[in-house]
Amino acid sequence: WGKHTGHNKSANLSLNVNFDTMYLVSISGWANNLIEANTEVGALSVPSSGFAVSWDTTTYSQELRLHSDTDDALQWMLGAQYFEEGDDHSRLWGIAGYGTALVRPFLSGPNAIGIFAVGNSEWTSTSNALFGEVVYSVSDDFKITAGLRNTWEEASVTYHEAGFTPETPEQTKKFKELTYRLVFD
């Protein structure tokens, strides 16, 4: 027994701008995903107990890249990237009572023993990066590529457990990493 509704929406925009000896690329993105679902977990022939969830996330992204555009042996690219994803109202409900999980998952009904909020949370995740790459053509048959990327990420979550414990304080983790690549082609 169960029911699932929701939507997945997204939009993307790409832009290329040419200059004399270089060109700019911009890629923008947005997405929204909504899931509302409920299910029976009682394993009985009639609806008896279960849970319901509501989850709504939004994502934003932006990348800018500037590329060289010449016939020189040395080509380069510089870029920046931003990404953010979050959910400010994920919710989980538990349901007990005949007929409540499929008929009215978020409201009490005449046959309900109880509907209780198990918890909800807010979370965000962001990532920023600066990167660059150079390609040197030693000959028509041999190229050397060197690149660097510096990435900063941060994730935070606040979880509320209804009826059990008080709200947990916001928990945040930060990460930073410099990565590289060197290719002989």
Side-chain angles (χ1 to χ4, degrees):
W1 299 73
K3 179 181 176 184
H4 176 267
T5 61
H7 66 251
N8 295 312
K9 299 177 181 178
S10 64
N12 295 298
L13 176 65
S14 295
L15 178 68
N16 294 320
V17 180
N18 291 314
F19 302 103
D20 289 338
T21 59
M22 63 188 79
Y23 63 96
L24 178 70
V25 177
S26 173
I27 303 170
S28 306
W30 169 87
N32 178 258
N33 300 299
L34 172 67
I35 297 173
E36 292 181 336
N38 60 335
T39 189
E40 289 293 324
V41 295
L44 300 174
S45 60
V46 295
S48 62
S49 62
F51 70 90
V53 65
S54 175
W55 184 44
D56 188 2
T57 63
T58 303
T59 303
Y60 303 96
S61 63
Q62 177 63 52
E63 183 173 310
L64 293 171
R65 294 190 317 261
L66 187 62
H67 297 258
S68 62
D69 191 17
T70 65
D71 292 331
D72 296 342
L74 182 68
Q75 298 292 311
W76 54 266
M77 182 269 301
L78 296 173
Q81 182 181 29
Y82 173 79
F83 174 85
E84 177 183 339
E85 183 174 41
D87 180 356
D88 63 359
H89 61 279
S90 287
R91 293 188 177 32
L92 179 63
W93 290 271
I95 302 154
Y98 175 76
T100 59
L102 291 175
V103 179
R104 281 176 246 155
F106 308 112
L107 303 172
S108 60
N111 297 319
I113 295 169
I115 295 176
F116 52 93
V118 176
N120 61 56
S121 64
E122 295 92 33
W123 60 271
T124 59
S125 176
T126 59
S127 177
N128 301 287
L130 296 174
F131 51 91
E133 183 174 85
V134 293
V135 179
Y136 181 69
S137 297
V138 178
S139 69
D140 289 341
D141 297 325
F142 183 61
K143 295 179 183 179
I144 301 172
T145 302
L148 284 175
R149 178 183 178 97
N150 202 2
T151 304
W152 301 267
E153 294 186 8
E154 182 176 318
S156 63
V157 66
T158 302
Y159 182 72
H160 314 273
E161 226 178 315
F164 302 105
T165 60
E167 174 181 322
T168 60
E170 181 177 307
Q171 299 175 23
T172 301
K173 295 278 187 179
K174 295 182 180 183
F175 308 92
K176 179 180 177 184
E177 187 168 359
L178 180 66
T179 56
Y180 63 91
R181 75 185 213 131
L182 183 60
V183 178
F184 299 95
D185 183 13

